[in-house]
Amino acid sequence: MTSPRDEIDNWLEHGVTPLYPPSGSLDRIRRRARQRKTRQATIAAAGCAVVFAGAVVTPQIIATGHHRAQVTPPPVAIEPSSPAVQASPSQNSHTPPSVAGKATQIKQRTTLTNSWTRPPDRFEPTSVTFVGAGGRSVKGAVIGQAGTPGHCATSVCTSLAGTSDYGRSWFGVSAPVAPGPTSSAGVSQLRFATLADGWAYGPGLYETSHGGWPWKPEDTHGQHVIDVEAVARRAFAVFGACTGTGVDYAANCTTYSLWTSVAGSRTWTPVSVPSTYQQLTSTSPASSAAPQLV
């Protein structure tokens, strides 16, 4: 008796013809696989870029905020009303008690770059000058009258003060032993060409080659020195035959002449100028009477 055959067995004994995918299906599968890998790589790279950018930007923000917190504009040191110059406590931490508060006259032997004194009390500056190469190398100096006549470090009260931070703090500098503009040998204006070479004038004339010590008187040939300007290590001065007195020392002038001198020298030589500028009459104060040097 034969066993009955299962229909499944009968079906399996026949040859099986495999079904192939439609034409082009394998190429589409490969292309989609490559696109998927590309997207994954792009997303991963973008994530790394975001992390890297965060690491770079964050310190910059912190540094910028720190910088802004420190930047403060320096205060204006000199107003038109010529206020008294105040000393900075930090500049005077090593000031000897014997010189603190005295008028900074020639006795202290201080300069624009080496000073241990304070500006004198009741200092009223009349002229300011700045020199230097920029940054902390810039120094400023003012000249004026201070204290009470007869009670200064010398017989006169002409004094100088210097600054190395654009007027935030001040220190004393040796001044010429000369009166103010009330005398023909007095001084009221100041010009420095370098940290060492400077001139005090108006109406007299003094020169220093060491930043303030010593100051040496110059021969003005009986004329008033109305203006001084310096370039490099050479100075030019306007001399005038004037009869003005006090702060009006440049008034009532009949003639003018231009002179020049090299820094460190006490010899002045005349400079040729058009005759038109030699014969001028002035009745104006010193602040506006001087011809402009250009």
Side-chain angles (χ1 to χ4, degrees), residues 37-87:
K37 291 181 179 179
T38 302
R39 286 196 299 271
Q40 292 175 348
T42 302
I43 293 172
C48 293
V50 171
V51 173
F52 178 75
V56 172
V57 172
T58 301
Q60 290 180 345
I61 294 175
I62 294 175
T64 302
H66 181 67
H67 178 69
R68 289 177 179 175
Q70 288 185 340
V71 174
T72 54
V76 177
I78 298 186
E79 298 290 343
S81 59
S82 299
V85 176
Q86 300 297 327

